[in-house]
PDB file of all heavy atoms in Angstrom:
ATOM      1  N   ASP M   6      16.206  36.701  72.876  1.00  0.00           N
ATOM      2  CA  ASP M   6      17.244  37.431  72.286  1.00  0.00           C
ATOM      3  C   ASP M   6      18.555  36.825  72.773  1.00  0.00           C
ATOM      4  O   ASP M   6      18.980  36.982  73.834  1.00  0.00           O
ATOM      5  CB  ASP M   6      17.250  38.918  72.740  1.00  0.00           C
ATOM      6  CG  ASP M   6      18.256  39.876  71.991  1.00  0.00           C
ATOM      7  OD1 ASP M   6      18.839  39.239  71.022  1.00  0.00           O
ATOM      8  OD2 ASP M   6      18.382  40.949  72.367  1.00  0.00           O
ATOM      9  N   PRO M   7      19.168  36.063  71.833  1.00  0.00           N
ATOM     10  CA  PRO M   7      20.420  35.354  72.245  1.00  0.00           C
ATOM     11  C   PRO M   7      21.578  36.299  72.576  1.00  0.00           C
ATOM     12  O   PRO M   7      22.540  35.855  73.344  1.00  0.00           O
ATOM     13  CB  PRO M   7      20.748  34.473  71.000  1.00  0.00           C
ATOM     14  CG  PRO M   7      20.035  35.061  69.779  1.00  0.00           C
ATOM     15  CD  PRO M   7      18.902  35.748  70.441  1.00  0.00           C
ATOM     16  N   ALA M  10      21.103  36.837  76.212  1.00  0.00           N
ATOM     17  CA  ALA M  10      21.265  35.672  76.936  1.00  0.00           C
ATOM     18  C   ALA M  10      22.818  35.290  77.192  1.00  0.00           C
ATOM     19  O   ALA M  10      23.187  34.876  78.270  1.00  0.00           O
ATOM     20  CB  ALA M  10      20.490  34.584  76.378  1.00  0.00           C
ATOM     21  N   VAL M  18      37.028  39.939  71.786  1.00  0.00           N
ATOM     22  CA  VAL M  18      37.147  40.940  70.684  1.00  0.00           C
ATOM     23  C   VAL M  18      38.463  41.599  71.056  1.00  0.00           C
ATOM     24  O   VAL M  18      38.575  42.163  72.039  1.00  0.00           O
ATOM     25  CB  VAL M  18      35.991  41.756  70.651  1.00  0.00           C
ATOM     26  CG1 VAL M  18      36.153  42.893  69.599  1.00  0.00           C
ATOM     27  CG2 VAL M  18      34.690  40.960  70.450  1.00  0.00           C
ATOM     28  N   SER M  19      39.349  41.565  70.162  1.00  0.00           N
ATOM     29  CA  SER M  19      40.553  42.364  70.354  1.00  0.00           C
ATOM     30  C   SER M  19      40.428  43.753  69.687  1.00  0.00           C
ATOM     31  O   SER M  19      39.435  44.046  69.042  1.00  0.00           O
ATOM     32  CB  SER M  19      41.832  41.642  69.691  1.00  0.00           C
ATOM     33  OG  SER M  19      41.625  41.584  68.342  1.00  0.00           O
ATOM     34  N   GLY M  25      41.935  36.525  66.117  1.00  0.00           N
ATOM     35  CA  GLY M  25      42.604  35.779  65.094  1.00  0.00           C
ATOM     36  C   GLY M  25      42.738  36.593  63.737  1.00  0.00           C
ATOM     37  O   GLY M  25      43.463  36.075  62.877  1.00  0.00           O
ATOM     38  N   LEU M  42      48.283  29.622  40.841  1.00  0.00           N
ATOM     39  CA  LEU M  42      46.946  29.286  41.276  1.00  0.00           C
ATOM     40  C   LEU M  42      45.856  30.167  40.470  1.00  0.00           C
ATOM     41  O   LEU M  42      44.889  29.620  39.993  1.00  0.00           O
ATOM     42  CB  LEU M  42      46.718  29.378  42.713  1.00  0.00           C
ATOM     43  CG  LEU M  42      47.468  28.351  43.549  1.00  0.00           C
ATOM     44  CD1 LEU M  42      47.294  28.736  45.100  1.00  0.00           C
ATOM     45  CD2 LEU M  42      46.715  27.037  43.276  1.00  0.00           C
ATOM     46  N   VAL M  61      25.343   2.757  27.966  1.00  0.00           N
ATOM     47  CA  VAL M  61      25.485   2.822  26.512  1.00  0.00           C
ATOM     48  C   VAL M  61      24.889   1.598  25.885  1.00  0.00           C
ATOM     49  O   VAL M  61      24.008   1.490  25.051  1.00  0.00           O
ATOM     50  CB  VAL M  61      26.957   3.099  26.094  1.00  0.00           C
ATOM     51  CG1 VAL M  61      27.136   2.870  24.509  1.00  0.00           C
ATOM     52  CG2 VAL M  61      27.332   4.443  26.455  1.00  0.00           C
ATOM     53  N   HIS M  66      20.637  -1.132  22.919  1.00  0.00           N
ATOM     54  CA  HIS M  66      19.710  -2.299  22.884  1.00  0.00           C
ATOM     55  C   HIS M  66      18.311  -1.846  22.693  1.00  0.00           C
ATOM     56  O   HIS M  66      17.483  -2.306  21.831  1.00  0.00           O
ATOM     57  CB  HIS M  66      19.937  -3.271  24.022  1.00  0.00           C
ATOM     58  CG  HIS M  66      18.814  -4.306  24.137  1.00  0.00           C
ATOM     59  ND1 HIS M  66      18.774  -5.411  23.433  1.00  0.00           N
ATOM     60  CD2 HIS M  66      17.640  -4.291  24.900  1.00  0.00           C
ATOM     61  CE1 HIS M  66      17.728  -6.070  23.709  1.00  0.00           C
ATOM     62  NE2 HIS M  66      16.975  -5.460  24.734  1.00  0.00           N
ATOM     63  N   GLU M  69      17.757   0.039  19.357  1.00  0.00           N
ATOM     64  CA  GLU M  69      17.835  -0.909  18.112  1.00  0.00           C
ATOM     65  C   GLU M  69      16.557  -1.737  18.052  1.00  0.00           C
ATOM     66  O   GLU M  69      16.030  -2.023  16.911  1.00  0.00           O
ATOM     67  CB  GLU M  69      19.037  -1.863  18.289  1.00  0.00           C
ATOM     68  CG  GLU M  69      20.391  -1.124  17.915  1.00  0.00           C
ATOM     69  CD  GLU M  69      21.518  -2.079  18.192  1.00  0.00           C
ATOM     70  OE1 GLU M  69      21.260  -3.295  18.742  1.00  0.00           O
ATOM     71  OE2 GLU M  69      22.616  -1.664  17.967  1.00  0.00           O
ATOM     72  N   ILE M  93      13.446   6.129  31.010  1.00  0.00           N
ATOM     73  CA  ILE M  93      14.210   5.601  29.817  1.00  0.00           C
ATOM     74  C   ILE M  93      14.377   6.672  28.826  1.00  0.00           C
ATOM     75  O   ILE M  93      15.512   6.812  28.234  1.00  0.00           O
ATOM     76  CB  ILE M  93      13.360   4.432  29.096  1.00  0.00           C
ATOM     77  CG1 ILE M  93      13.431   3.262  30.111  1.00  0.00           C
ATOM     78  CG2 ILE M  93      14.087   3.927  27.843  1.00  0.00           C
ATOM     79  CD1 ILE M  93      12.489   2.075  29.662  1.00  0.00           C
ATOM     80  N   VAL M  97      17.858   8.010  27.262  1.00  0.00           N
ATOM     81  CA  VAL M  97      18.116   8.047  25.715  1.00  0.00           C
ATOM     82  C   VAL M  97      18.461   9.465  25.401  1.00  0.00           C
ATOM     83  O   VAL M  97      19.486   9.644  24.577  1.00  0.00           O
ATOM     84  CB  VAL M  97      16.791   7.634  24.948  1.00  0.00           C
ATOM     85  CG1 VAL M  97      16.890   7.898  23.543  1.00  0.00           C
ATOM     86  CG2 VAL M  97      16.572   6.111  25.156  1.00  0.00           C
ATOM     87  N   ASN M  98      17.879  10.506  26.075  1.00  0.00           N
ATOM     88  CA  ASN M  98      18.258  11.786  25.857  1.00  0.00           C
ATOM     89  C   ASN M  98      19.672  12.118  26.216  1.00  0.00           C
ATOM     90  O   ASN M  98      20.457  12.887  25.560  1.00  0.00           O
ATOM     91  CB  ASN M  98      17.316  12.906  26.437  1.00  0.00           C
ATOM     92  CG  ASN M  98      16.037  12.886  25.700  1.00  0.00           C
ATOM     93  OD1 ASN M  98      15.892  12.642  24.565  1.00  0.00           O
ATOM     94  ND2 ASN M  98      14.944  13.323  26.454  1.00  0.00           N
ATOM     95  N   ALA M 106      26.200  11.461  16.927  1.00  0.00           N
ATOM     96  CA  ALA M 106      26.519  10.853  15.683  1.00  0.00           C
ATOM     97  C   ALA M 106      26.123   9.299  15.765  1.00  0.00           C
ATOM     98  O   ALA M 106      25.467   8.718  14.924  1.00  0.00           O
ATOM     99  CB  ALA M 106      27.969  10.939  15.303  1.00  0.00           C
TER     100      ALA M 106
END
Side-chain angles (χ1 to χ4, degrees):
D6 188 6
V18 178
S19 65
L42 287 173
V61 169
H66 168 76
E69 284 174 357
I93 295 171
V97 170
N98 285 339

